[in-house]
Amino acid sequence: MKNTQIKLVGRPEEQGLSAKLFKVDSQDVPALAEGEVLVKQTHMSLDPAMIGWMSADTESYVPRVELNEVMRSFGLGEVVESKSPLFSAGDKVTGGFNWQEYAVCAPETLNKLQADLPAEMVLSVFALPGLTATHGLFNVGKPKAGETIVISGAAGSVGSIVGQLAKAEGLNVIGVAGSTEKCGWLVDELGFDGAINYKTDDIEARLAELAPNGIDIYFENTGGPIQHAAFARMNAFGRMVVCGMIADYTAQVPSAGPNWVNIVKKRLTIQGFTMPDHLQDAPQLIEQLTPYVMKGQVKYRSHVLSGLESAMEGLNLFMTGGNTGKLIVKL
């Protein structure tokens, strides 16, 4: 049996973010050793963090993907063969299956799912996006009812969940996104109190209108002009939760940050975080998130690409803002 794989062969800093960074390969599926599990991947998650994993940086929070290695990713699949007593053929599982059709896995790297859970819901809510949003908002942002939160990349998989959780907790929620359609979705469907189109709106003027009493929490997913505008309006003892900086992921020279005077004047807390440091807390985070989902307080939408090879161009949607929901590849 053959296994189609996609390997990384170039760095985005040198060649831009496109399909030419990858090579399609085919290998025989290896025979299972005792204790191993063979999974056929059905759905693969595309996440902004992948762009960092592809870079030449050797000092990031996880090891980079080396050239000629299968590209790293998280996905959902079905067990087709098992030599572990913990799993049986037909079990639905999640795990780090990478950019390939089949993955040979150690049982401790797999999570078994309820058979009736939709794949898109799992990857959009209960996988990395939901874990990141829950940890970032509650454990780093420490929200209080009545406060104002501004979220960049608010229509993305993480930002949209952050905003809905914050709204459920009684905060004034302002989202920043890159199109009229996305801003409408945030307000009309997700219940945000306001939205800013960073491509067409006067960001400073809209922030003054939507957050007249200042900002208590800024949840950073993107970088760019909104960062400076939000920083300038932070309230005393405000918290800036730094989850991502996609505007700078492929930049040769990162953009300059705001002057630090406000950190002292406003006694701000600025904390970056990455989920690999907190994956041991996943069961508790899912337990914390689940009641909001069960009450209908967390909605999601997915942007599904078809076929493994679509991932090679699909990542560029993060840079253009062309995705309308959690990016998923259906194999």
Side-chain angles (χ1 to χ4, degrees):
M1 185 165 56
K2 290 291 186 180
N3 181 23
T4 302
Q5 302 174 319
I6 298 179
K7 296 180 178 179
L8 182 70
V9 294
R11 303 288 182 195
E13 304 97 322
E14 300 160 359
Q15 301 181 45
L17 193 60
S18 72
K20 63 187 177 183
L21 298 180
F22 303 101
K23 177 182 72 173
V24 181
D25 198 5
S26 181
Q27 303 283 340
D28 290 330
V29 176
L32 293 186
E34 198 60 38
E36 290 182 330
V37 179
L38 178 64
V39 176
K40 179 176 175 55
Q41 186 167 211
T42 61
H43 296 78
M44 188 171 78
S45 175
L46 296 186
D47 298 287
M50 291 175 168
I51 301 167
W53 303 342
M54 292 159 52
S55 78
D57 184 10
T58 58
E59 297 182 356
S60 190
Y61 58 93
V62 294
R64 68 185 183 183
V65 178
E66 296 297 337
L67 297 183
N68 294 306
E69 284 187 353
V70 178
M71 182 58 197
R72 181 187 303 144
S73 66
F74 182 86
L76 183 148
E78 182 176 318
V79 174
V80 293
E81 184 183 352
S82 176
K83 291 193 174 181
S84 164
L86 301 176
F87 294 93
S88 303
D91 285 345
K92 269 190 175 183
V93 292
T94 58
F97 304 141
N98 302 330
W99 287 21
Q100 56 186 350
E101 293 179 305
Y102 293 91
V104 175
C105 306
E108 63 269 19
T109 66
L110 300 174
N111 294 300
K112 192 181 298 187
L113 300 171
Q114 289 180 213
D116 59 347
L117 282 178
E120 290 180 22
M121 172 186 271
V122 172
L123 294 183
S124 299
V125 178
F126 288 113
L128 193 59
L131 296 176
T132 303
T134 304
H135 175 78
L137 178 64
F138 291 113
N139 296 338
V140 184
K142 298 178 171 60
K144 303 178 186 70
E147 291 187 325
T148 291
I149 182 171
V150 173
I151 306 157
S152 66
S157 57
V158 172
S160 61
I161 297 177
V162 169
Q164 292 177 87
L165 293 176
K167 189 64 188 170
E169 289 296 307
L171 278 74
N172 176 42
V173 179
I174 301 164
V176 181
S179 74
T180 301
E181 187 278 332
K182 289 180 179 179
C183 288
W185 180 64
L186 294 176
V187 174
D188 299 334
E189 296 294 326
L190 303 191
F192 282 40
D193 297 286
I196 298 171
N197 184 338
Y198 72 86
K199 293 182 179 179
T200 59
D201 287 346
D202 181 324
I203 296 174
E204 288 82 3
R206 287 287 285 154
L207 277 180
E209 175 189 345
L210 295 170
N213 298 317
I215 299 166
D216 301 291
I217 305 172
Y218 175 56
F219 200 103
E220 174 68 287
N221 286 308
T222 64
I226 182 60
Q227 182 186 89
H228 291 255
F231 183 79
R233 294 193 64 81
M234 294 298 295
N235 288 330
F237 303 103
R239 288 84 70 201
M240 300 185 75
V241 183
V242 186
C243 179
M245 290 283 292
I246 197 167
D248 281 333
Y249 282 169
T250 60
Q252 293 285 349
V253 179
S255 58
N259 186 281
W260 282 12
V261 169
N262 242 14
I263 300 175
V264 179
K265 287 171 60 178
K266 301 292 183 65
R267 287 85 82 204
L268 301 179
T269 298
I270 304 175
Q271 183 176 339
F273 78 97
T274 63
M275 280 313 297
D277 295 332
H278 307 282
L279 290 179
Q280 71 276 5
D281 301 323
Q284 297 96 310
L285 292 170
I286 290 173
E287 183 179 357
Q288 188 174 12
L289 173 62
T290 297
Y292 296 95
V293 179
M294 298 300 291
K295 293 176 186 175
Q297 294 173 312
V298 174
K299 301 176 184 177
Y300 71 94
R301 63 179 182 179
S302 305
H303 186 131
V304 180
L305 306 176
S306 182
L308 179 64
E309 294 184 22
S310 68
M312 297 189 292
E313 289 287 358
L315 279 183
N316 200 49
L317 292 172
F318 290 124
M319 308 306 297
T320 64
N323 59 302
T324 54
K326 174 72 186 79
L327 263 182
I328 296 172
V329 173
K330 185 176 181 180
L331 278 69

